[in-house]
Amino acid sequence: MSKPLVVLAEFEAQKDTLEAFLEVCRYDAVHSKADEPGCLEFTIQCSEDEPGLVVLHEVYAGRAAFQAHEAAPHFAVFSKALKDLKITTRQIRFFQRQ
């Protein structure tokens, strides 16, 4: 059995796009947890030190569950918002939960 896949995704929004981006993140989180059996956790964090820095902490049952997430309709909405709101992707890191 595969170990859970942890995804830490860091994004940077501008002051005028932060709230709209957070709404899209919330939409993605709600639908990921409700519609994807392989999505075990999905939380949204905002930095206290860096305004506009948003970190998504996601846990999936495995790599296949994450690939299903990327193919989900709500992920397409999230991806489009990244472009439309001109959100900078700082980094996306993958870990195996031990």
Side-chain angles (χ1 to χ4, degrees), residues 8-12 53-56 88-93:
L8 295 178
E10 297 183 12
F11 301 96
E12 188 174 342
L53 176 61
V54 176
V55 178
L56 305 181
T88 301
T89 302
R90 281 198 179 178
Q91 65 178 342
I92 299 174
R93 295 180 289 167

Side-chain angles (χ1 to χ4, degrees), residues 20-91:
F21 181 56
L22 288 173
E23 283 300 314
V24 171
C25 290
R26 290 180 195 109
Y27 173 84
D28 193 32
V30 165
H31 286 280
S32 294
K33 290 190 286 186
D35 302 342
E36 299 175 33
C39 180
L40 307 176
E41 297 175 39
F42 196 123
T43 59
I44 305 160
Q45 287 76 224
C46 292
S47 174
E48 289 186 348
D49 302 322
E50 293 183 61
L53 176 61
V54 176
V55 178
L56 305 181
H57 174 258
E58 306 167 49
V59 181
Y60 296 90
R63 179 65 67 172
F66 178 71
Q67 291 169 334
H69 169 70
E70 290 182 304
H74 53 270
F75 185 80
V77 172
F78 178 82
S79 294
K80 182 177 183 316
L82 289 176
K83 293 176 189 169
D84 292 349
L85 297 172
K86 297 180 175 62
I87 303 300
T88 301
T89 302
R90 281 198 179 178
Q91 65 178 342

Side-chain angles (χ1 to χ4, degrees), residues 1-5 40 60-64 96-98:
M1 183 154 115
S2 68
K3 294 180 179 178
L5 178 71
L40 307 176
Y60 296 90
R63 179 65 67 172
Q96 280 191 340
R97 181 171 277 175
Q98 300 301 304

